[in-house]
Amino acid sequence: DADVTQTPRNRITKTGKRIMLECSQTKGHDRMYWYRQDPGLGLRLIYYSFDVKDINKGEISDGYSVSRQAQAKFSLSLESAIPNQTALYFCATSALGHYEQYFGPGTRLTVT
Amino acid sequence: KQEVTQIPAALSVPEGENLVLNCSFTDSAIYNLQWFRQDPGKGLTSLLLIQSSQREQTSGRLNASLDKSSGRSTLYIAASQPGDSATYLCAVRQADYKLSFGAGTTVTVRA
């Protein structure tokens, strides 16, 4: 089984809808991250969490919110989806004191 | 703000040829640099991580060099195979958590 899983893997939604992307990990890592990837651009950090009570904005947090329900679960919400939020979304984890991040398979989100 | 650039954006080579992928960054104050491979539908896989104090790292057919002062890293893949076809991303770390990514180089190895 994959160490970092994301659900759903693909989602098409309409403008104005609320949508939640979920991430779960079995690596026992404290730190979790949400990124988005757009064609021709590198991954950009949306939010990150160092533990259940520590959540921080990344460089492009506007229009997004997150919830860290447990050490192993980190959800990303789009309160009112808009077309320019169409992108590939990645969740990642890392252990305290270690630099390497481990990525999930991604969620492809399309907002029409 | 750190800017990471990868050139070329795409590369096509015949099987057996060596691959050379370039990554440049604007702020040399980095903790480390990481090379990833991205396959469609499978997320990112870490290939090599070079600490800022290191000049290179090797793993099998892969070798990555780092010249921090000039803001450059190069990933070499020896004797390329069709299975090496993927997008390769480099990312630099400055603060404890933040990775700044390049847009990637998409490699096609022709059989």
Side-chain angles (χ1 to χ4, degrees), chain A residues 48-101:
Chain A
Y48 62 102
S49 170
F50 282 174
D51 64 37
V52 174
K53 297 182 180 179
D54 182 11
I55 293 177
N56 304 279
K57 294 181 177 181
E59 61 181 299
I60 54 163
S61 59
D62 287 349
Y64 301 95
S65 63
V66 291
S67 173
R68 185 82 183 266
Q69 301 95 324
Q71 186 202 38
K73 296 184 182 294
F74 193 34
S75 300
L76 176 71
S77 293
L78 287 67
E79 297 301 325
S80 180
I82 56 177
N84 75 2
Q85 291 177 315
T86 293
L88 186 56
Y89 290 84
F90 286 104
C91 174
T93 73
S94 68
L96 179 65
H98 293 267
Y99 297 120
E100 192 165 1
Q101 291 187 12

Side-chain angles (χ1 to χ4, degrees), chain A:
Chain A
D1 288 341
D3 295 320
V4 184
T5 57
Q6 294 183 232
T7 56
R9 297 292 311 279
N10 288 282
R11 181 72 182 267
I12 300 173
T13 192
K14 294 185 182 298
T15 297
K17 294 291 188 182
R18 184 180 189 276
I19 185 168
M20 178 181 288
L21 309 182
E22 299 185 334
C23 177
S24 295
Q25 52 112 349
T26 59
K27 299 186 76 66
H29 289 170
D30 293 312
R31 300 182 173 190
M32 299 186 74
Y33 311 81
W34 276 105
Y35 293 89
R36 67 176 277 176
Q37 184 181 36
D38 297 277
L41 298 177
L43 277 72
R44 291 179 292 168
L45 184 64
I46 305 172
Y47 270 95
Y48 62 102
S49 170
F50 282 174
D51 64 37
V52 174
K53 297 182 180 179
D54 182 11
I55 293 177
N56 304 279
K57 294 181 177 181
E59 61 181 299
I60 54 163
S61 59
D62 287 349
Y64 301 95
S65 63
V66 291
S67 173
R68 185 82 183 266
Q69 301 95 324
Q71 186 202 38
K73 296 184 182 294
F74 193 34
S75 300
L76 176 71
S77 293
L78 287 67
E79 297 301 325
S80 180
I82 56 177
N84 75 2
Q85 291 177 315
T86 293
L88 186 56
Y89 290 84
F90 286 104
C91 174
T93 73
S94 68
L96 179 65
H98 293 267
Y99 297 120
E100 192 165 1
Q101 291 187 12
Y102 297 85
F103 284 78
T107 294
R108 185 166 297 281
L109 176 66
T110 303
V111 183
T112 62

